[in-house]
Amino acid sequence: MITLKILFWILLSVIVYTYVGYGILLYAIIKIRRFLKMGKKLAIDTSYEPEVTLFIAAYNEKDYVAAKMKNTLALEYPKEKINIVWVTDGSDDGTPDVLRGYPKTTVYHLDERNGKIGAMNRGMDFVKTPIVIFSDANTNLGKESIRRIVNLFSNPKVGCVSGEKRIVDKESDVASGAGEGIYWKYESALKKWDAELYSVVGAAGELFAIRTSLYRHVEKDTLLDDFIISLRVAQEGYTIQYDPDAYAIESASANVKEEFKRKVRISAGGIQSIVRLRSLLNVFKYGTLSFQYISHRVLRWSLTPLCLILLIPVLSILAINEGIFSFGLYSTLFWLQFLFYASALLGWFLENRETRVKILFVPYYFFIMNVCVVLGFFRYMKKSQSVNWERAQRAS
């Protein structure tokens, strides 16, 4: 029992640290640094105004072109300094033809579909501006997003800037909207503190930018292009900064089934990223960046889901040994764990019958996220995840 108790506390510590503890520790470090005036505010020059390229890799996005172009042309930045580039490899729904009707818009098209990263690698060979801003076709950007991103690049230490992904509020509609919205609010807070400490750990694919000179062609089978591209920039000694007021808006997944498919793919990509960025695990070489990377990303995609699985039998044995109805420490924790998973399963049951209870959204979404990580691991090991995105249905 002593061995099991030690194992239990190790498992619980890893789980708590991953989802709550790192955030608390990060916030405490930031507060102490502010109090001791150790941290320096990032110096920026708001008059910095270079040419930029807004880069959109798209596959059969005809239905989104009009809204995307209207949004793009309304962005607050000198129009003559924005180069709009669409790469539409494989599109056969007329997307390239519609785009060619817009002035000052460059379209690079190939009939062959090679996935998003293939389109990005090909299209980047044509980008000549010092800064390239990546955005998705089905997202709208905040009016000042480009301006705010460019401001951060005025500091030569900044190699990448991540915007914020904002989810249209669907808390009253579906569990996926509520869970996803809460998750991104927490992620936004962590990114702010990460950036203040040293660097954000990865960029949001819906809106991020890099110095064009730092782009390196990415392996064709890459699943999380935004994550790999941004962290390889950080590996070169630059920081990834973050501005929540530079944002991309998209709807939540239409339902948890759609969110499930998306998360499994992301999780498979997360495992792939850990393998490809394994040198970042060397804290002696990368210091603070490695600490942030392991705490914020690696644990979520690797060790912690395993800890959650192992905690179930370990806590069950300890509770039975203590007396499952004795309401001692382990039996109480056992029933709390049981209640959590029961709430998640009840949320799944009700969601499938379109009966939604808000209090169940968070345990349901948390449960789904971790199941996706496990399935993503097996999908990565089987090499069965396609590099071609399958568009998720979005809540309307």
Side-chain angles (χ1 to χ4, degrees):
M1 286 298 113
I2 293 176
T3 302
L4 276 182
K5 287 178 181 179
I6 293 172
L7 178 59
F8 167 78
W9 288 109
I10 291 173
L11 295 173
L12 185 62
S13 297
V14 172
I15 293 166
V16 171
Y17 177 75
T18 301
Y19 294 111
V20 181
Y22 175 63
I24 294 173
L25 176 61
L26 190 59
Y27 181 72
I29 293 172
I30 294 302
K31 282 292 187 180
I32 292 171
R33 284 164 59 94
R34 289 176 184 171
F35 178 76
L36 298 177
K37 297 181 179 179
M38 292 173 61
K40 294 181 180 179
K41 190 173 182 180
L42 188 72
I44 61 173
D45 178 4
T46 56
S47 66
Y48 182 62
E49 204 174 74
E51 279 193 70
V52 301
T53 295
L54 183 63
F55 189 109
I56 306 158
Y59 170 72
N60 285 352
E61 302 284 8
K62 181 180 178 180
D63 293 342
Y64 294 97
V65 167
K68 183 65 176 180
M69 289 304 300
K70 180 180 178 181
N71 172 252
T72 298
L73 296 172
L75 295 174
E76 200 283 299
Y77 200 76
K79 300 298 182 285
E80 69 277 7
K81 292 187 177 182
I82 301 179
N83 297 282
I84 306 170
V85 169
W86 287 70
V87 184
T88 58
D89 294 1
S91 292
D92 55 10
D93 69 339
T95 297
D97 298 324
V98 173
L99 285 167
R100 290 187 183 105
Y102 287 89
K104 299 182 179 179
T105 301
T106 304
V107 181
Y108 297 107
H109 176 73
L110 278 181
D111 290 337
E112 183 181 0
R113 186 184 184 192
N114 292 308
K116 182 180 180 182
I117 193 60
M120 292 176 72
N121 282 336
R122 190 176 76 86
M124 281 300 294
D125 289 339
F126 301 105
V127 176
K128 305 303 179 185
T129 60
I131 295 171
V132 57
I133 301 168
F134 299 101
S135 177
D136 287 344
N138 63 345
T139 61
N140 287 331
L141 307 185
K143 192 171 183 179
E144 297 183 351
S145 293
I146 290 182
R147 172 74 65 186
R148 299 190 71 91
I149 284 173
V150 169
N151 283 347
L152 290 170
F153 278 111
S154 67
N155 189 305
K157 294 181 180 179
V158 177
C160 175
V161 176
S162 176
E164 179 176 89
K165 173 184 175 180
R166 292 188 181 179
I167 302 298
V168 175
D169 186 9
K170 293 290 177 182
E171 290 190 40
S172 61
D173 297 331
V174 293
S176 59
E180 198 173 10
I182 293 169
Y183 171 78
W184 280 107
K185 287 176 183 177
Y186 179 57
E187 275 296 295
S188 179
L190 287 183
K191 286 180 180 179
K192 290 177 188 175
W193 300 334
D194 272 333
E196 187 171 346
L197 178 62
Y198 175 66
S199 174
V200 177
V201 189
E206 292 75 15
L207 176 61
F208 77 105
I210 66 169
R211 295 186 187 277
T212 305
S213 61
L214 297 177
Y215 185 84
R216 306 289 180 264
H217 279 216
V218 183
E219 297 87 341
K220 291 182 179 180
D221 62 342
T222 299
L223 299 175
L224 294 185
D225 50 87
D226 49 354
F227 191 75
I228 292 287
I229 291 169
S230 57
L231 277 179
R232 283 181 174 167
V233 167
Q235 281 185 298
E236 294 194 32
Y238 295 86
T239 67
I240 305 169
Q241 290 301 309
Y242 170 68
D243 187 338
D245 290 321
Y247 58 88
I249 301 174
E250 71 173 32
S251 299
S253 300
N255 50 56
V256 175
K257 182 180 179 181
E258 290 298 318
E259 180 65 7
F260 189 85
K261 291 192 297 184
R262 191 174 73 91
K263 288 291 185 186
V264 170
R265 179 192 170 89
I266 290 173
S267 298
I271 300 299
Q272 182 191 65
S273 299
I274 292 173
V275 174
R276 291 195 172 160
L277 298 171
R278 56 188 176 276
S279 61
L280 257 182
L281 301 175
N282 186 348
V283 294
F284 299 104
K285 182 177 181 180
Y286 294 104
T288 302
L289 180 62
S290 289
F291 161 69
Q292 293 177 297
Y293 173 59
I294 294 169
S295 299
H296 195 162
R297 299 297 184 187
V298 175
L299 290 176
R300 291 189 188 185
W301 284 334
S302 57
L303 185 59
T304 303
L306 177 61
C307 291
L308 284 165
I309 294 171
L310 291 175
L311 192 66
I312 296 173
V314 169
L315 184 55
S316 298
I317 294 170
L318 289 173
I320 292 170
N321 181 71
E322 184 181 57
I324 202 163
F325 295 109
S326 68
F327 295 103
L329 175 62
Y330 296 107
S331 61
T332 300
L333 291 174
F334 168 83
W335 286 113
L336 288 174
Q337 178 183 250
F338 177 83
L339 178 63
F340 179 85
Y341 285 116
S343 299
L345 292 173
L346 179 60
W348 170 79
F349 177 81
L350 294 176
E351 177 73 12
N352 285 338
R353 284 154 181 75
E354 298 187 355
T355 302
R356 285 129 190 176
V357 181
K358 287 186 179 181
I359 197 172
L360 302 178
F361 285 176
V362 172
Y364 180 21
Y365 190 77
F366 179 86
F367 175 73
I368 289 295
M369 281 179 60
N370 282 284
V371 170
C372 289
V373 171
V374 175
L375 294 179
F377 170 79
F378 288 110
R379 184 169 293 187
Y380 170 72
M381 295 303 293
K382 291 170 61 179
K383 307 296 181 183
S384 60
Q385 178 63 64
S386 170
V387 297
N388 294 328
W389 278 105
E390 179 183 347
R391 183 185 293 110
Q393 296 178 23
R394 292 288 172 180
S396 58

